[in-house]
Amino acid sequence: IARFPPTQRGDSRLLHFDGASGALRDRRFADLLELLRAGDLLVLNDTRVVPARLHGSRESGGRVEILLERVSGPRSALVLVRASKPARAGSRIALDGGGEARVLGREGEFVELEFDVEPLELFERQGEIPLPPYLGRPAETLDRDRYQTVYARDPGAVAAPTAGLHFDEAMLACCRSAGVAIAALFALDYLWVPFPMRDLPRPAHLDALARLPAGLAAIDVPTGAGPRAAEDMFLQTRHR
């Protein structure tokens, strides 16, 4: 796995899996157009990655890392806290870059924090992109752009839909020119949600799914035809 992205988004490798034969073939991402057909539907996750990681110091001086899970109120959020000792209700964390957070309590593995301002505003201003640990490096300025798809729209994810990172505007335009339809779904917290809404683990997510029915309406999978999938990209074939 590359620790840094290529200079051009499309200059990446592509592993092609032939579902019929089971054969694997090394290709380039630019070859994707050879694998798509007119009438296919390309469904993209257009959720924008939030700069969801903050750093700060406890009153004792110990360092703290904060990873946003979800906003829980006008000035509060549930987060994962990484520190040498558990966060205690009532304690305060001085945030790098200014401001502070007060510990309200725990909810399972998460800690609820209260901030001086609206949480997403704070994270957008002072947070860093939460790169996955397997990259083995801290986030850099370039990651605010490159750990984000070119079609990202509304904030809501703490991890990028990685297959989509390779698309640029030129590739999307070529897909449309080739007769490939493109639809977008919003997947809060990077959870795919085309399953019954009663099964959602957290009711707080429901408000963020307002665009979901319109996206799903474009996905008309023919009877007996399963979608061709590549991680968060779903290629629905209409060929019988």
Side-chain angles (χ1 to χ4, degrees):
I1 297 176
R3 298 177 66 222
F4 289 90
T7 303
Q8 300 296 323
R9 286 182 181 264
D11 290 345
S12 51
R13 293 177 294 174
L14 175 69
L15 180 63
H16 176 217
F17 170 69
D18 188 316
S21 66
L24 295 173
R25 182 181 175 189
D26 285 316
R27 305 187 68 152
R28 307 297 299 177
F29 187 75
D31 298 335
L32 181 64
L33 289 172
E34 299 176 16
L35 306 176
L36 298 176
R37 294 172 287 194
D40 283 350
L41 174 64
L42 179 63
V43 183
L44 304 173
N45 173 1
D46 68 354
T47 315
R48 189 166 64 82
V49 178
V50 177
R53 182 174 284 126
L54 292 173
H55 298 275
S57 300
R58 304 171 63 161
E59 296 165 298
S60 62
R63 295 294 291 166
V64 177
E65 181 182 293
I66 298 168
L67 182 65
L68 177 66
E69 153 61 15
R70 69 181 184 271
V71 174
S72 59
R75 294 197 174 186
S76 62
L78 289 176
V79 303
L80 289 172
V81 174
R82 188 177 183 180
S84 58
K85 295 181 180 179
R88 295 180 292 101
S91 61
R92 296 178 181 274
I93 301 171
L95 302 174
D96 294 358
E100 67 173 20
R102 184 168 68 91
V103 179
L104 298 179
R106 300 192 68 89
E107 185 176 312
E109 62 181 317
F110 302 108
V111 174
E112 187 168 27
L113 298 180
E114 182 181 53
F115 301 96
D116 299 328
V117 297
E118 195 277 325
L120 279 182
E121 175 188 333
L122 173 68
F123 278 88
E124 287 287 353
R125 184 176 68 245
Q126 296 177 210
E128 67 178 35
I129 292 295
L131 294 182
Y134 58 75
L135 291 185
R137 66 175 179 86
E140 300 185 9
T141 303
L142 67 87
D143 295 311
R144 283 215 169 210
D145 174 58
R146 296 304 304 276
Y147 194 65
Q148 199 80 262
T149 63
V150 297
Y151 47 80
R153 187 171 167 182
D154 295 328
V158 295
T162 50
L165 294 177
H166 309 294
F167 282 92
D168 57 20
E169 295 292 356
M171 173 61 83
L172 292 172
C174 287
C175 288
R176 293 186 181 97
S177 296
V180 176
I182 297 177
L185 291 182
F186 180 85
L188 190 68
D189 278 356
Y190 194 36
L191 293 176
W192 269 101
V193 286
F195 48 79
M197 297 180 80
R198 65 177 179 273
D199 294 334
L200 283 174
R202 295 188 290 269
H205 286 173
L206 296 180
D207 291 342
L209 303 181
R211 296 212 319 277
L212 185 58
L216 289 179
I219 307 175
D220 177 25
V221 181
T223 302
R228 299 186 287 163
E231 196 179 325
D232 62 291
M233 301 188 305
F234 290 79
L235 307 178
Q236 175 205 311
T237 176
R238 296 182 183 276
H239 305 284
R240 312 282 177 134

